[in-house]
Amino acid sequence: MKNLRNRIYTGKTASVVMAVLFALLATFVHHIELLHPEWKAETGTPAPVSVRLPAQYFRITLLRSEYIYSAQANTGCPDIIARGAVVEPESECGGLLTAYEEGRRPLRPWRLVAVFALYLLVALLLSAYMRRDDMGRARWLRSQVGLFVLLGLLVVGTKAFLLFTPYAFTLLPLATVPMLAAMLLGKRLAFGVTLTTALLASILTHFSPQALFFFLATGLAAARPPTYRRRVLALFKAGLLTAVVALVTSLFITLLLVGTLDIYDDLRAHFAPQTSIWMAALASGVASGFLAILLLPIAAKIVDEVSRGRLLDLQDLDNPLLRRLRERAPSTWEHSRAMANLAEAAAHAIGANAMLVRVGAYYHDVGKSCHPNFFIENQHDSENPHNALLPKDSAQAIFQHVTEGIRLLRLAGVPEDVIEFAHSHHGTSMLEYFWIKNQQEGNPEHLSEADFRYPGTVPSTKETAILMIVDAAEAAARTIEHPDKTAFEALVQRIVFAKLNQGQFDESGLSLQELRVVIATIVESLVGMYHARIKYPWQQSNGRGADNTTRTATQEPPEEPQKAPEVPEESPQTPAEPQKAPEEAPEVPEESPATPQMTGEAPARPSTPPPPAQVPFPPASDAPPVPAAPAPPATAAPATAPAAQATPSPRETPAPIVDTYTGPAPVDPNPGRKTPE
């Protein structure tokens, strides 16, 4: 559909273009000192820039014209000739400096091409890694452009550090980029970025294996899982961990290359980062953490991540879009609010951006405010408009809430991270109800399944995948007649497995472990939402029942085990003082035995209950009236006793009195007492 502008994903052509541009920039920066003749270091004059001589076995001397690895040949010549330092021509260090400068000037084309090819290969590998389906938002073009911008700044900053400072490479805070990548684009991408930064640092330092291993170790320590609520604290902890790993790595590298480890002498003589490799390593880790904290807002803006402050603004329920949804489609709004609670809990359980998921739940169905009567939750008692539409037209009316929602959100200036929820909460799934209805009608227009699929995209982040699950689970949970944990588990698992089978989570980056945690969290939240409550006394039709279960006015109250009054066999059928008899007496079967004795249980209720109009509320006791005892077989007694009947003896029990009280049922203060004979 024309008005559905999706995020731009990085294709192969875009990857090649970005990699070539990055390789050109890195190659130019790598040889920048060779393009300025005045930056050539010569003996007897102050060095215009810092010169970092190749380590040991890569050093070339004019005297031998060969690669040497001799500790005596390197004595007295440091690896770094600081800017402004003067090297004597007759010294061995002067010979090494002259040989090094003459060997790389003038710039040879084949060397230029080789360096360009190396940078291009590194960039292409990183771009291909970012284009994987499970990389989430790293696949977006803007994210890749932003990351290559950060890597370009890293190359420029590293080269400036190497040219204009006398410090060791271990002081470089290159772990900043993996920290930012893990925080903004996920820890999976952070591992690829760590390898990239280590390779770039090794190329810039004359393919130093020490630099490669050092920055690889520190980058892996810095690529911690993201924490969205306390990002500053998380980056600070990552910086401290990086400092410890850098210190340990430097110690073992020194022990491997030098063969000895004199920490006390190094700290006593060189207690400064520019001379002590251990102090430089500690400073590198701490500086990486602080630099990541300072650059986090800028990096988030580059990769187009919505800020926390903007998310707080979007949660305001007085937002015009939310107010419009609340007024025009109140049931949809309640559905969105319930979804927000479920999705936030699930996102928090796996370490995703819980605040972003809550905001996405608020706005994902904004398009339903355009035509709310097309959705069953907003129809109530009104006529269903789909009854007068063809299945194809009904499906298009349902699909319109996705396209209209995106249009409204973009007109309101809502960030694209939030619009992504409206675009992908149904993914590319099929509207099965109207597709089946179309099939049942014979499919007169010969439509295919593609005509009944949502015009959205599959979720590309963990947050949007969570909302897709919650959207289906919250709506389906309302259809369960007896909600309990078992029913909710079966429901949510069925939904998730169906989405997996449709390939809706292929690009979300959710692992199976995270899916399991999401399912468990949603089930627990649904159980909490549909919790049981005890009714108030005025809601109960027959007082407090034995099990406090829910009853309605039309349901017959359950029978309670209660002792009935003892009725002797000679009990007459006519009371001493006749009362107003009911209009219809209970019918006694011919085979009815004698009056039952006291057994601890109330007799069965008569088959024909009294009309509800006569007794709106049942009497206080659940025990029904005692039926009249049948007459002896020889002489059948009339239904109505004569008026001259003798007064009953004290042991005789009178017939039950019909309760004509129409008010609330009284409560027996002693429900367990026995009725006196």
Side-chain angles (χ1 to χ4, degrees):
M1 305 181 75
K2 293 183 179 179
N3 59 339
L4 263 185
R5 178 173 55 86
N6 189 19
R7 285 200 185 259
I8 302 176
Y9 289 91
T10 307
K12 295 182 179 179
T13 303
S15 297
V16 173
V17 171
M18 285 189 295
V20 170
L21 293 177
F22 173 79
L24 288 174
L25 173 65
T27 304
F28 171 77
V29 173
H30 185 93
H31 299 98
I32 190 171
E33 73 273 19
L34 303 180
L35 302 178
H36 297 275
E38 62 274 11
W39 283 9
K40 180 180 179 181
E42 297 179 353
T43 58
T45 59
V49 293
S50 297
V51 180
R52 299 175 184 269
L53 298 174
Q56 297 177 354
Y57 51 88
F58 281 125
R59 294 189 176 183
I60 302 174
T61 63
L62 290 177
L63 300 178
R64 296 183 175 87
S65 297
E66 62 183 2
Y67 295 95
I68 63 170
Y69 180 65
S70 172
Q72 291 79 9
N74 299 328
T75 302
C77 185
D79 293 338
I80 303 174
I81 299 176
R83 179 185 180 188
V86 179
V87 179
E88 297 297 333
E90 302 299 331
S91 64
E92 182 180 358
C93 191
L96 290 174
L97 176 61
T98 302
Y100 176 69
E101 288 291 349
E102 294 294 336
R104 63 175 186 161
R105 295 174 187 272
L107 185 59
R108 295 179 177 84
W110 60 267
R111 180 171 293 181
L112 190 66
V113 172
V115 173
F116 172 79
L118 287 176
Y119 284 118
L120 180 62
L121 178 61
V122 172
L124 287 175
L125 290 176
L126 177 62
S127 181
Y129 179 72
M130 295 174 68
R131 292 201 320 272
R132 292 175 52 188
D133 291 340
D134 58 347
M135 296 306 296
R137 60 181 301 141
R139 298 175 60 235
W140 300 341
L141 179 61
R142 180 157 182 172
S143 298
Q144 292 204 18
V145 171
L147 182 59
F148 275 108
V149 168
L150 290 177
L151 291 176
L153 295 176
L154 179 144
V155 172
V156 173
T158 301
K159 189 63 177 181
F161 176 89
L162 296 176
L163 287 179
F164 302 107
T165 65
Y167 306 145
F169 67 84
T170 52
L171 190 60
L172 283 168
L174 299 188
T176 301
V177 180
M179 286 184 190
L180 294 176
M183 190 64 64
L184 299 175
L185 301 176
K187 60 181 180 181
R188 283 182 178 171
L189 178 62
F191 294 127
V193 173
T194 296
L195 180 59
T196 302
T197 55
L199 290 173
L200 294 177
S202 177
I203 296 173
L204 289 170
T205 55
H206 307 295
F207 302 96
S208 171
Q210 299 96 312
L212 176 64
F213 186 79
F214 177 83
F215 290 115
L216 188 61
T218 55
L220 292 177
R224 295 173 55 86
T227 303
Y228 291 96
R229 293 189 60 188
R230 299 179 179 179
R231 286 187 164 187
V232 174
L233 181 60
L235 290 175
F236 179 74
K237 291 181 178 180
L240 294 180
L241 179 61
T242 303
V244 174
V245 173
L247 174 62
V248 175
T249 305
S250 298
L251 293 177
F252 282 105
I253 288 177
T254 303
L255 184 61
L256 176 65
L257 296 179
V258 179
T260 59
L261 189 63
D262 194 348
I263 301 178
Y264 173 76
D265 182 67
D266 181 83
L267 294 179
R268 180 177 58 83
H270 310 291
F271 195 75
Q274 63 268 27
T275 53
S276 173
I277 58 174
W278 299 296
M279 292 300 298
L282 283 174
S284 172
V286 176
S288 297
F290 280 105
L291 191 59
I293 294 174
L294 294 177
L295 294 179
L296 180 61
I298 301 175
K301 191 69 175 177
I302 291 176
V303 299
D304 196 25
E305 186 194 54
V306 58
S307 64
R308 185 177 179 85
R310 183 71 173 118
L311 291 177
L312 289 174
D313 293 339
L314 291 172
Q315 289 190 49
D316 187 3
L317 300 185
D318 279 337
N319 187 283
L321 289 177
L322 298 183
R323 187 168 60 249
R324 170 193 172 107
L325 181 63
R326 184 169 61 248
E327 294 173 354
R328 297 190 178 186
S331 297
T332 298
W333 168 241
E334 293 302 325
H335 164 67
S336 299
R337 292 181 63 184
M339 281 181 56
N341 296 329
L342 292 172
E344 184 180 33
H348 183 73
I350 64 171
N353 194 339
M355 182 179 291
L356 177 61
V357 174
R358 169 170 284 275
V359 175
Y362 283 162
Y363 290 88
H364 80 286
D365 268 346
V366 166
K368 289 185 178 181
S369 62
C370 297
H371 300 286
N373 59 325
F374 281 112
F375 303 92
I376 190 170
E377 70 266 20
N378 300 313
Q379 291 174 3
H380 304 295
D381 296 331
S382 61
E383 184 181 358
N384 190 347
H386 294 286
N387 295 334
L389 296 177
L390 295 175
K392 179 190 68 173
D393 298 332
S394 295
Q396 293 302 319
I398 298 297
F399 296 158
Q400 194 176 12
H401 89 276
V402 177
T403 58
E404 288 297 314
I406 295 175
R407 183 182 64 84
L408 292 175
L409 291 172
R410 286 194 173 130
L411 288 177
V414 176
E416 286 292 327
D417 281 354
V418 180
I419 297 177
E420 193 75 15
F421 290 93
H423 202 170
S424 62
H425 69 281
H426 286 297
T428 58
S429 59
M430 185 175 62
L431 196 56
E432 296 181 359
Y433 179 85
F434 291 109
W435 166 248
I436 296 175
K437 184 178 179 182
N438 178 73
Q439 294 295 96
Q440 292 174 351
E441 294 180 0
N443 194 6
E445 299 184 18
H446 304 287
L447 302 175
S448 63
E449 293 185 1
D451 297 315
F452 290 86
R453 291 192 179 276
Y454 280 92
T457 58
V458 296
S460 58
T461 62
K462 296 179 181 180
E463 291 79 7
T464 52
I466 290 172
L467 192 76
M468 172 181 279
I469 300 173
V470 170
D471 187 16
E474 200 281 333
R478 298 175 182 268
T479 63
I480 297 180
E481 296 182 358
H482 303 288
D484 56 13
K485 186 173 182 180
T486 303
F488 288 142
E489 282 182 347
L491 174 69
V492 178
Q493 288 177 1
R494 179 184 179 90
I495 291 173
V496 171
F497 292 155
K499 301 294 184 184
L500 281 172
N501 187 44
Q502 297 170 6
Q504 300 296 321
F505 302 144
D506 290 351
E507 301 179 8
S508 65
L510 276 175
S511 64
L512 292 179
Q513 179 184 6
E514 290 171 336
L515 272 177
R516 180 182 57 80
V517 175
V518 167
I519 292 173
T521 306
I522 293 175
V523 170
E524 293 297 330
S525 300
L526 287 174
V527 172
M529 289 175 59
Y530 291 89
H531 58 272
R533 298 296 295 268
I534 299 177
K535 280 194 172 185
Y536 293 98
W538 56 268
Q539 294 176 302
Q540 300 179 9
S541 61
N542 195 32
R544 183 181 297 275
D547 55 354
N548 291 330
T549 55
T550 304
R551 302 173 189 163
T552 61
T554 59
Q555 289 177 340
E556 186 174 338
E559 297 179 2
E560 292 183 356
Q562 187 173 356
K563 293 182 179 180
E566 184 176 355
V567 182
E569 295 181 0
E570 65 274 13
S571 175
Q573 299 181 11
T574 306
E577 298 181 7
Q579 301 292 334
K580 184 178 179 180
E583 295 180 3
E584 184 177 358
E587 185 176 357
V588 181
E590 293 181 1
E591 64 274 13
S592 175
T595 304
Q597 301 297 323
M598 185 170 180
T599 60
E601 293 185 357
R605 184 176 297 278
S607 59
T608 306
Q614 294 181 3
V615 186
F617 291 90
S621 176
D622 286 340
V626 179
T635 58
T640 305
Q645 184 76 19
T647 304
S649 63
R651 294 182 58 84
E652 295 175 349
T653 303
I657 300 174
V658 178
D659 192 354
T660 59
Y661 176 65
T662 60
V667 180
D668 188 359
N670 298 312
R673 67 178 179 179
K674 296 182 178 179
T675 305
E677 298 181 357

